[in-house]
Amino acid sequence: MQIVNSGAIEQKPVSKGSYIFSVIRLSLVFVVLCGIIYPLASTALAQVLMPSQANGSLLKNGEGQVIGSELIGQNFKNPAFFQGRVSSIEYKAEASGSNNYGPSNPDLLERTSDSIAEWKANNPDVPVSELPIDLVTNSGSGLDPHISPAAATVQIPRISNLTGISADKLEALVAKYTEGRDLGVFGEERVNVLKLNLALMETTAN
């Protein structure tokens, strides 16, 4: 009877060049998968399922010109438009953030005082006691495009005087563009200022 040798099998040593080739090959595979195929697939899928969001949620005026994104607030200096929240970064999307000042910070107090003084000058018919807090405070990102329905409603007397649009029509406009809580539970009711001002422009034109 023949006896088979059960000793350890001698393994051929792997060369350094073989290791390098394996690393390069694996790197190329991941570059193709993660750097080309995945981005192209996710971009194509987004364009099919949610093209508006994938392209920045852009809003256009009546002439078809892009005038902003519904996700980023704007600074409306014309008092005939609804005003949004204070932005310490002037709504620059590349610099999202805020100063996170404490309530006793002198810069915050000065900024708030200036906002209140501006409110008094532009809204003589509405006392400061009725001024919603979101109109004189900065959001965490500095880019918040929304205000509360109360913050929109309190601006109606000024806008009505400047545009000649009746308060009833403006109230209906605010109600139309008031968004509810997410899934009916999360967040608060809010109004997108850019959307509201676009509708205001159309109303004024008509």
Side-chain angles (χ1 to χ4, degrees):
M1 183 175 65
Q2 184 178 7
I3 299 176
V4 179
N5 185 6
S6 59
I9 300 176
E10 182 180 356
Q11 295 183 349
K12 184 179 180 180
V14 180
S15 66
K16 183 178 180 180
S18 179
Y19 274 124
I20 295 175
F21 177 75
S22 297
V23 170
I24 293 175
R25 183 174 55 187
L26 186 61
S27 298
L28 289 175
V29 169
F30 277 110
V31 166
V32 173
L33 286 177
C34 301
I36 299 176
I37 295 177
Y38 174 75
L40 288 177
S42 59
T43 299
L45 193 61
Q47 290 293 337
V48 172
L49 298 180
M50 49 184 71
S52 176
Q53 294 89 334
N55 292 316
S57 299
L58 302 178
L59 296 177
K60 300 179 180 180
N61 59 18
E63 288 73 39
Q65 299 171 322
V66 174
I67 47 84
S69 168
E70 65 177 278
L71 304 177
I72 300 175
Q74 294 187 23
N75 186 12
F76 296 95
K77 296 183 178 180
N78 188 338
F81 288 109
F82 287 93
Q83 308 298 308
R85 300 190 65 173
V86 176
S87 175
S88 57
I89 58 171
E90 297 298 325
Y91 295 108
K92 295 178 181 178
E94 70 275 12
S96 174
S98 66
N99 297 318
N100 292 324
Y101 289 144
S104 61
N105 185 284
D107 290 337
L108 175 62
L109 295 175
E110 181 180 1
R111 188 186 74 195
T112 304
S113 297
D114 291 344
S115 295
I116 292 175
E118 185 178 358
W119 174 266
K120 288 180 178 179
N122 293 330
N123 302 271
D125 299 327
V126 182
V128 175
S129 59
E130 297 180 12
L131 177 61
I133 193 66
D134 50 320
L135 286 180
V136 293
T137 56
N138 192 90
S139 67
S141 67
L143 303 175
D144 192 353
H146 299 98
I147 55 176
S148 63
T153 301
V154 78
Q155 300 182 60
I156 287 178
R158 180 192 75 243
I159 295 173
S160 180
N161 290 333
L162 293 174
T163 63
I165 302 174
S166 69
D168 289 341
K169 285 186 178 180
L170 291 172
E171 289 175 2
L173 208 60
V174 170
K176 179 180 179 180
Y177 285 90
T178 296
E179 303 171 12
R181 298 170 183 265
D182 294 332
L183 301 178
V185 178
F186 302 105
E188 300 292 337
E189 290 187 338
R190 57 202 179 275
V191 180
N192 188 293
V193 181
L194 181 55
K195 287 183 177 180
L196 182 59
N197 280 332
L198 277 174
L200 177 63
M201 290 172 62
E202 294 178 1
T203 303
T204 304
N206 296 330

